[in-house]
Amino acid sequence: MKKSLATLALYGFIIAGINLANAAMTIQERADRFLELVNSGYQAISKVENEAQWKAVTDVKPEHDAAAEVAGKARAAFTGNPTLIREAKDLLKHKNSLKPITVRQLQRALLIAAEAPMTKPELAAARIEAEVKQASLMNSFEFKLKGKPITPNEIDNFLQTNINLEARLDVWKASKEIGPALKPGLVKLRELRNGVAKELGYADYFALQSASYDMTTEEMLKLQEDFMKELRPLYLQIHTYVKYELAKRYNQPVPKLIPAHWINNRWAQNWTGIVPAAADLDDRFNDKSPEWIVQRGEQFWKGLGFPSLPESFWKLSDLYPVKPGENRKKNTHASCWHIDLDKDIRSLMSVEPNSQWFETAHHELGHAYYDLSYSRPEVPPLLRTSANPAFHEGIAEFASLASWQPSYLKSLGVLPPQMEIDQLQFLLNDAIANSVPFIYWASGTMTHWEADIYANNLDPNQWNARWWKYVREFQGVEPPELRGEEFCDPATKTHINDAPCYYFSYPTATVIRFQLVDYICKNILKRPPQDANYANSKEAGKFLRSLMEKGATEDWRQLLKKTTGEGLSTRAMLDYFKPLTKWLEEQNKGRKIGWE
Ligand code: X8Z
Ligand code: ZN
C-alpha cells in the first residue's frame, strides 16, 4: 500500500517533534522515563515468573516445570531485551550527569539482563530450560537407605542423634547418592551459565556474581581468603578440640583429619552436637509444635518493632514437611520468596520441632522482614533487594544467632528460667556449631570449588578430586572412604545446583552479622555481645530497620560504614570469640594443633 503525500508529511512532522522533544529532554529525564517503564515491567514479570517457580518447587510435576520454563522465558524476553540492554548501557555513558540512584538502577538492570541476555536468544533459552530441569531433578530426588526411601529431614535427624559409625556411614553415603544424578546437568549448566555471563562482557559466571558486590573474581577470592587467614588460629584450636571430643565419642584413635561421617552435618558445614550444654537443647523442642517454631520467628521480629507478617504469608507459604500419604514432592531446603516485590512474601520450609528448624525459621523470617522493609515507594522495584547479597544473609543470620542466646531461650521457656548457664560453653557452641568451621566450608571449599569450575573451567573428570582436596585443605575433614569421579559430591549441596556462585555471601554474612551484634550490644543494649537478648528491644529494631529499609539504594560499603561505623571486618567476630582462646588452649595443651 502506498502512503499519500499528506500522510508522509504528517509523519515527518511527528518525527521532527519527537526528536525535538528528545533533544530538549535532559539525560536524567530520559533515564527516568526509561526506568519507570523498566521498573514496572520488571515487577510485573517477576511476579509471573516467581508464581510459576513457586509452584514448580512446591509441587514438582512436568506441567509445573513447563509453566516455570515458559515464565522464565517470558521474563527474559523483558529483562534481557536487547533494546533495554542498549539503552541502559547508553545511559550509563552519561553516568556523571545522572543521580546515583539512577545509576544504581541502570547497573542493576544490566546485572539482571546478564542472567539471560536476549542478544543471544538460543543461549538464554537453553539456560532457562537446563535450570528448570536441574531443579526438578533435584527437588524430586528420592533418597534411599538400603532400598527404602529416607527424607532429608530423616537423614539430618539420624546424623544428629545416632553414634554408631557404621550406620552413620550408610546414611552419609545415602545422602550423596543424588550427586551422580545431578552431574550431567551441572556440566551443561556450567557452560550455559558461563555463556550468558560472557555475553554481557563478564569473564565467566563467577565474575558476574562477584559484580553484584562491585568486585572482581580476584577481589572476592582475596576477601574470602582473608577471612580464613584471620580466623585460622581459632579454627585450628577448635578443629583439634573437636577431633579429640569425637574420637572419645566414637571410641576411636584420634585422627589427623576428621572423617566426614563423624560430623552431624552432611557437608561438615556446621558442627553441632559437640558441646553438651547446648547439644541437649534439641530435646527441649520436643513438646513444641512446628507452628510454634515458625511463630517464634515472627515474634522475634515483632518484638524488635517490626509489623506482623501479611496474612498472605501464612496462607501461601509452604512451611511443613509433606504429610505422609500426600503424593507431592517439594524442595526441602529452606528459602524465602519475594513473589511480587511487594507484600506477597512466602517461605518454603519443612519445619519440625527441633533446634535446627527453630534457628532456620528465625533465619528465613529475617529474609521476609528485610523484603518487607524495603518494599516501599521510595525504593524502586529494581532495588528491592539487599545492598549486596551478604546483607540479606547477614540479617537472616543475625536472627539465627540470636535464637541461640540462652537468655532469649529462657524468656521463651525453652530453657528453665532458673537454669544455671555456663556462658563459656554456649559461646563454644556458637563458635563450633554456627560460625567458625562454617567459614572454612563456605569461604574455603564452596567458594574455591565454584571458582575452579566457572572461572578456571576445571575438567569434569577432576571435579570430585578437587572437591575433596579442598575439604581436606580448608576444613581439615576427609571422606570416610575413597570418593572417585563416579561420584559428584559437590552436587549434593543445593546451592551448587540452584544458587551458583552465591555461597560466598554466607561467610561474608557471618562476618557482617558479628559487626551488627557488636554495634547493637555496645551502643544500644549495653551488654556483652556474648550474652545479649535482643527480644523486645525496639531500639535494636530501629537500628536494623535503618539498614534494611534502604534496600539496594546505597553502596554497600558506605551503608555498612554509616550504620556500624566500620568497614567489612572480622574484628567483631574475633572479639566475640576471644574469651574462648585461653580455654581452648588449655584443653588442647600437649596436643598437636591442626592437621599439617
Ligand atoms: O541456605 C541457607 C538458608 C537459606 S538462605 C537456610 N543457609 C546456608 C546453607 O544451608 O547451606 C543458611 C546458612 C548456610
Ligand atoms: Zn538465607
Side-chain angles (χ1 to χ4, degrees):
M1 193 179 64
K2 276 201 181 133
K3 293 199 163 73
S4 77
L5 226 78
T7 321
L8 278 178
L10 182 65
Y11 273 7
F13 187 71
I14 292 173
I15 288 168
I18 290 175
N19 282 343
L20 258 180
N22 266 344
M25 220 195 304
T26 64
I27 198 78
Q28 182 65 51
E29 281 164 348
R30 182 175 141 199
D32 287 345
R33 278 198 188 190
F34 170 68
L35 284 173
E36 191 182 345
L37 186 74
V38 174
N39 271 304
S40 65
Y42 170 65
Q43 183 168 21
I45 197 69
S46 296
K47 179 175 176 195
V48 173
E49 198 215 5
N50 286 335
E51 291 260 21
Q53 288 273 4
W54 174 262
K55 272 211 176 112
V57 300
T58 54
D59 188 4
V60 187
K61 276 186 185 157
E63 55 268 43
H64 290 166
D65 287 347
E69 191 185 305
V70 171
K73 288 177 180 173
R75 181 186 199 261
F78 180 78
T79 56
N81 193 289
T83 318
L84 183 153
I85 294 174
R86 198 184 58 225
E87 180 67 353
K89 279 186 174 170
D90 240 27
L91 284 164
L92 279 171
K93 286 184 195 144
H94 309 276
K95 215 164 142 174
N96 296 336
S97 316
L98 294 169
K99 291 187 212 152
I101 193 165
T102 308
V103 174
R104 295 188 67 75
Q105 289 173 78
L106 293 169
Q107 288 168 333
R108 176 115 178 102
L110 285 177
L111 281 177
I112 295 168
E115 295 288 338
M118 293 301 278
T119 43
K120 275 246 176 90
E122 307 79 31
L123 178 66
R127 179 183 177 198
I128 292 162
E129 285 159 25
E131 295 282 2
V132 169
K133 205 167 149 200
Q134 185 80 343
S136 175
L137 206 59
M138 175 174 79
N139 297 335
S140 61
F141 188 84
E142 195 163 72
F143 291 93
K144 289 214 168 98
L145 179 67
K146 297 194 173 124
K148 281 208 197 107
I150 179 169
T151 67
N153 265 352
E154 284 165 347
I155 290 175
D156 292 340
N157 292 340
F158 188 96
L159 292 176
Q160 291 290 336
T161 49
N162 192 292
I163 58 162
N164 178 312
L165 276 183
E166 254 171 64
R168 292 181 67 86
L169 180 58
D170 287 341
V171 171
W172 185 90
K173 287 203 304 207
S175 80
K176 303 292 164 191
E177 264 167 27
I178 189 172
L182 292 173
K183 183 167 177 181
L186 192 59
V187 172
K188 189 160 176 202
L189 276 167
R190 184 258 298 265
E191 186 194 320
L192 296 169
R193 287 166 179 164
N194 274 347
V196 294
K198 282 197 176 86
E199 181 60 13
L200 281 208
Y202 294 94
D204 53 73
Y205 198 76
F206 195 97
L208 170 61
Q209 296 310 305
S210 303
S212 59
Y213 286 76
D214 199 17
M215 285 164 89
T216 62
T217 296
E218 291 69 33
E219 286 165 346
M220 180 53 80
L221 288 175
K222 163 125 188 4
L223 179 71
Q224 304 299 322
E225 266 143 31
D226 285 348
F227 292 162
M228 291 194 285
K229 226 181 275 161
E230 284 150 20
L231 289 156
R232 192 159 181 83
L234 177 59
Y235 185 47
L236 293 183
Q237 290 291 335
I238 287 177
H239 184 277
T240 307
Y241 174 73
V242 168
K243 191 158 82 171
Y244 276 78
E245 287 301 298
L246 289 177
K248 249 189 281 168
R249 169 181 304 173
Y250 299 120
N251 203 10
Q252 294 288 317
V254 179
K256 200 161 107 183
L257 299 154
I258 304 175
H261 67 306
W262 285 23
I263 293 172
N264 289 355
N265 176 279
R266 284 182 254 169
W267 304 276
Q269 70 180 65
N270 297 112
W271 300 0
T272 59
I274 307 284
V275 182
D280 290 345
L281 216 64
D282 243 357
D283 290 341
R284 302 196 179 265
F285 291 93
N286 287 346
D287 60 340
K288 309 289 187 215
S289 67
E291 290 77 12
W292 183 91
I293 301 273
V294 188
Q295 282 155 9
R296 286 341 293 173
E298 183 192 33
Q299 206 49 51
F300 173 81
W301 287 97
K302 279 174 76 173
L304 289 168
F306 288 80
S308 297
L309 286 167
E311 232 168 80
S312 58
F313 175 89
W314 299 105
K315 248 199 247 142
L316 301 174
S317 287
D318 189 328
L319 300 170
Y320 310 109
V322 175
K323 291 194 188 81
E326 197 188 336
N327 188 19
R328 175 168 71 102
K329 293 262 164 51
K330 70 178 230 192
N331 178 312
T332 51
H333 192 83
S335 55
C336 188
W337 295 55
H338 199 186
I339 300 280
D340 62 352
L341 297 178
D342 194 15
K343 305 283 181 270
D344 184 354
I345 291 158
R346 306 176 196 171
S347 181
L348 169 59
M349 294 195 264
S350 293
V351 177
E352 289 183 340
N354 60 37
S355 58
Q356 203 186 332
W357 279 110
F358 178 72
E359 185 188 321
T360 302
H362 281 71
H363 176 110
E364 292 311 325
L365 295 199
H367 286 309
Y369 277 104
Y370 208 153
D371 292 345
L372 272 181
S373 304
Y374 53 58
S375 295
R376 54 193 187 102
E378 294 80 355
V379 181
L382 278 168
L383 301 179
R384 291 192 186 170
T385 180
S386 50
N388 70 29
F391 275 60
H392 233 300
E393 298 303 339
I395 289 292
E397 287 292 278
F398 168 81
S400 45
L401 183 73
S403 78
W404 276 93
Q405 300 287 2
S407 31
Y408 175 58
L409 294 171
K410 277 186 176 180
S411 72
L412 297 186
V414 173
L415 294 177
Q418 69 288 359
M419 184 176 159
E420 284 247 358
I421 298 294
D422 184 338
Q423 202 63 46
L424 194 102
Q425 291 300 303
F426 266 82
L427 187 63
L428 183 66
N429 186 63
D430 243 5
I432 300 179
N434 303 318
S435 311
V436 184
F438 180 73
I439 297 284
Y440 293 83
W441 144 257
S443 298
T445 305
M446 282 292 278
T447 298
H448 284 75
W449 190 81
E450 286 200 296
D452 277 354
I453 76 156
Y454 291 100
N456 305 329
N457 217 24
L458 183 70
D459 188 323
N461 288 326
Q462 296 173 29
W463 280 12
N464 219 37
R466 184 63 55 89
W467 175 260
W468 286 105
K469 171 179 149 65
Y470 285 154
V471 175
R472 284 191 181 92
E473 286 178 10
F474 290 120
Q475 298 178 257
V477 170
E478 65 181 350
E481 45 187 47
L482 196 69
R483 302 291 291 175
E485 295 299 332
E486 68 277 25
F487 299 109
C488 185
D489 295 321
T492 66
K493 183 71 195 165
T494 307
H495 304 67
I496 293 287
N497 300 290
D498 68 5
C501 306
Y502 176 83
Y503 214 85
F504 45 66
S505 301
Y506 293 106
T508 314
T510 300
V511 170
I512 292 176
R513 96 180 160 184
F514 282 104
Q515 293 186 251
L516 297 175
V517 162
D518 191 76
Y519 182 91
I520 292 174
C521 290
K522 284 194 181 136
N523 299 285
I524 299 170
L525 301 182
K526 313 226 186 291
R527 279 176 76 98
Q530 298 88 349
D531 183 26
N533 181 2
Y534 310 92
N536 303 320
S537 168
K538 304 288 180 277
E539 276 299 299
K542 203 169 133 203
F543 165 77
L544 291 172
R545 204 160 41 245
S546 73
L547 178 147
M548 293 156 77
E549 67 186 11
K550 293 265 167 17
T553 56
E554 290 180 21
D555 172 77
W556 70 263
R557 289 183 178 86
Q558 283 165 14
L559 184 62
L560 187 63
K561 187 90 202 260
K562 192 168 82 182
T563 10
T564 66
E566 194 184 26
L568 184 63
S569 162
T570 53
R571 197 263 325 147
M573 184 169 176
L574 285 165
D575 279 0
Y576 187 92
F577 291 123
K578 207 168 267 160
L580 288 178
T581 313
K582 228 175 81 202
W583 187 88
L584 279 168
E585 281 170 2
E586 248 157 53
Q587 308 302 308
N588 289 333
K589 212 180 264 163
R591 296 172 176 172
K592 185 175 166 353
I593 306 298
W595 58 90
E596 247 122 48

